[in-house]
Amino acid sequence: MLAKVLSAAVYGIDANLIDVEVDLSGTVAEEDRFHTVGLPDAAVRESRDRVRAAMKNSGYLIPPTHITINLAPADLKKEGAGFDLPIAIGILSAYGALQIKDLSRFLLVGELGLDGSLRPVPGILSIAVLARSRGIANLILPAVNAPEAAVVTGVNVFPVASLAEVIELLNSTVLGEVQRKPFSVATEKLLGELQHYPNDFADVRGQQTAKRALEVAAAGGHNILMIGPPGSGKTMLAKRLPSILAPLTFDEALETTKIHSVAGVLDSAQGLVAQRPFRAPHHTISDAGLIGGGIVPRPGEVSLAHNGLLFLDELPEFPRNVLEVMRQPLEDHTVTIARASMSLTFPARFMLAAAMNPCPCGYFNDKSRECHCTPPMIQRYVAKVSGPLLDRIDIHIEVPAVQYKELRGGAAAEGSAQVRDRVMRAREYQRERFQKAGEKVYSNAQMGTRQIRAYCELGADAERLLERAMQQQGLSARAHDRILKVARTIADLDNEKFLSVTHLAEAIQYRTLDRSYWS
């Protein structure tokens, strides 16, 4: 007796269709009657014990026959406990315990508990997208995963709590139609309800220059580095940066949710990542934790920050090899992880915000505290961050200690909502500009050499100012391009079509490290 059930396995952030083929034949001894083939990992091989107990406790006994489970295609490695449910249904179908004979309109996934209950599995959103693309009408999955899968339209989602409920659901099918209303969510309403931030720019006293730099960074998608003494508010500012970014679109939310689902960090109660991610890994993180890795590669922090913000506090404290592996995602907005068995590419389009002290003690150039660091100590400290990495950060801004009068002043600071309105207008100008020209660019920070020449033309006065800055500060060609891109963003915030001397001068001021800050 032979049965086939459709399931799925996630590789990277995409899912592959897996045929779970079950064959029952002959009688064998009690202890050796269940074989799984098709490159299963340990969790898949152990499914025989979970399936046997779950079926028994659900009122079904495995027949005393030789059971062979084939997971096809056989050349793809299968991992995880999500094949428990399709294997159990395949056995019951082959044994004749199901009234329905054709299971081709169903895709099943879920981990079984020994009592027959269903437990959630990661990567459900990718599996739902796969079911829709393959024209599979019905998706049966654990109830906890239902909100996540239901954001994908075009597929019927049926949440179930136990193996017995799955059998009841399948047996109630009439002419291929399930006699139960599928689970659904109002995605646009959900996206609107979840887009709120607890941290607001109105909470920050003083630091007007730093706030302006963050507004420019948000408007153009620029990477930013904040340098200042301990307690000056660098971390506080960084935590409020997501609140002035443009809200996630539904497509961005879907793409971000896929990554979080695969990584197993998605909030099951929400089912959708509706806020731009804010990831702040500790400086003890490994390169695999930051970029991603594993025998079967999993996304790292740079991918979890996709469409959002990656904040690296105490930048020089990160191991140098960890920082250097960030150079590829900062340039290409993707991460490729190669292993002997496979090579996977994860998206990594994020804004980088970093913070650092100016010296080991933190008080170099501070007017209220004396710095006790020697020049060699400062040089060694700063050298922990390589020049090529700093060159990939568009904006360098000094964040000095806040004065008492600013800290205790009664004037209300501008809130995130007002700043976000300006940012969104500037982003809309950029979108219209690049869309009109047919460019596959979405922000000023992504502009290449050709776009910089087309959209960053300078007048004679601005040309002389940039030439003088390049000569006096010894700027690199990459720094030259960064200045022009930041100036373009400042002009967009001012709703100006052409770059002026004012725009360029402000952009040059955001290259603190190019102005011999430690001299």
Side-chain angles (χ1 to χ4, degrees), residues 297-344:
R298 295 292 190 203
E301 291 292 332
V302 297
S303 295
L304 293 173
H306 182 62
N307 289 325
L309 179 71
L310 178 68
F311 177 50
L312 301 183
D313 202 2
E314 305 295 345
L315 188 64
E317 301 301 329
F318 284 79
R320 181 153 183 160
N321 67 299
V322 172
L323 295 179
E324 291 305 299
V325 296
M326 287 185 54
R327 287 159 63 175
Q328 181 208 356
L330 284 173
E331 287 290 334
D332 303 335
H333 308 298
T334 60
V335 172
T336 300
I337 304 172
R339 294 292 182 265
S341 59
M342 66 183 68
S343 179
L344 296 176

Side-chain angles (χ1 to χ4, degrees), residues 192-212:
E193 288 177 348
L194 297 177
Q195 286 188 352
H196 67 278
Y197 295 90
N199 299 316
D200 195 281
F201 260 40
D203 303 331
V204 183
R205 298 287 183 175
Q207 300 297 6
Q208 297 304 318
T209 302
K211 288 181 181 179
R212 169 64 176 177

Side-chain angles (χ1 to χ4, degrees), residues 12 14 27 35 37 39 62 75 103 111-112 137 150 192 220 250 353 357 373 412 438 488:
D14 297 314
T27 57
H35 295 281
V37 297
L39 287 183
I62 295 180
D75 59 342
L103 295 170
E111 177 185 347
L112 284 172
F250 180 71
N357 295 330
C373 302
R488 178 67 267 170

